[in-house]
Amino acid sequence: MSGLIWTRRQMLLRSSAALGALLLPGCDRLSVSPGFRRVLRGAEGLTMRTQRLLIGQSLAREFPPSAISAVFRSNGTRNPRNEEYQRLRSGGFEDWRLVVRGLVPRPLSLSLAELRALPARTQITRHDCVEGWSVIGKWQGVPLAVVLERAGLRPEARFIVFYCADELQRGDGGYYESIDRVDAYHPQTILAYALNDEALPVPNGAPLRLRVERQLGYKQAKYLMGIEAVAGFARIRGGRGGYWEDRGYEWYAGI
Ligand SMILES: Nc1nc2c(c(=O)[nH]1)N[C@H]1C(S)=C(S)[C@@H](COP(=O)(O)O)O[C@H]1N2
Ligand SMILES: [Mo]
């Protein structure tokens, strides 16, 4: 790890020690679940805790239209090859539904038209991939908070899991991701159906993708099929809360 990053982290740690006394009650509440306690014990936990202490619900930077990249490059899956997705795609996603289930009193099944009819948010933000490139794009979508309010969220629901249509390798169970309640209710966390004023292109996750703007690219799940409210993700797939997390990436990918 570069000396620069380490120095910054140490600085964050020092400032968080000062803030710690003020904010500890919130942290205590967060650390109730065994999964969370495990996260918070590691270096990743320190990063997440210090960022949360310092930035709380602050917004990711938003840019003027002039900053939008000429091309929003795509990465990972560019066109899910499974039959079900291709059938939905050839039907213009008319038959596609976003399923909302798990620890919600009112499970939902929402069409694109229904999602488009909900209150929308537009934001021009920078996408940072862990591979070291960035692009700026204009997203439009429905705040996840709006959908969660419709479905309801039981108190024991701590995370939202996002299931995607694509497998990166045959039989891998499919791409998936998860975020906690703080990010789920963050105003810039949206389910995006448009990029740069056009329907979300297939390479970028049509018909719907997650934008969770204070985290790295791999958290931005494309090709959404379902979301599930859960108390923990230890029993889902590899147990680490996401496709790349199961392969060693950090669950909290704050930037
Ligand atoms: N379903 C799905 N979501 C995904 C990926 C993927 O392969 N499949 N790749 C991730 C990574 S690593 C990045 S950088 C972004 C890329 O988004 P883009 O293709 O719109 O640039 O999507 C993320 N979400
Ligand atoms: Mo990425």
Side-chain angles (χ1 to χ4, degrees), residues 75-76 127-133 175 216-219 244 249:
N75 199 33
H127 174 107
D128 297 316
C129 175
V130 74
E131 294 164 4
W133 51 269
Y175 202 92
L216 286 171
Y218 62 88
K219 301 298 286 191
W244 287 115
Y249 283 31

Side-chain angles (χ1 to χ4, degrees), residues 72-77 127-131 133 135 139 164-166 168 175 195 203-205 209 211 217-223 244:
F72 197 100
R73 63 176 280 189
S74 91
N75 199 33
T77 303
H127 174 107
D128 297 316
C129 175
V130 74
E131 294 164 4
W133 51 269
V135 275
W139 302 100
C164 309
D166 59 313
L168 275 74
Y175 202 92
L195 170 61
N204 303 106
R209 79 171 310 165
R211 293 301 309 173
Y218 62 88
K219 301 298 286 191
Q220 324 296 324
K222 307 194 282 188
Y223 314 111
W244 287 115

Side-chain angles (χ1 to χ4, degrees), residues 143-145 148 153 160 162 179-187 189 212:
L144 180 59
L148 294 179
L153 201 53
I160 307 297
F162 302 83
I179 59 176
D180 65 10
R181 289 178 81 116
V182 175
D183 271 324
Y185 284 112
H186 187 275
T189 298
V212 47

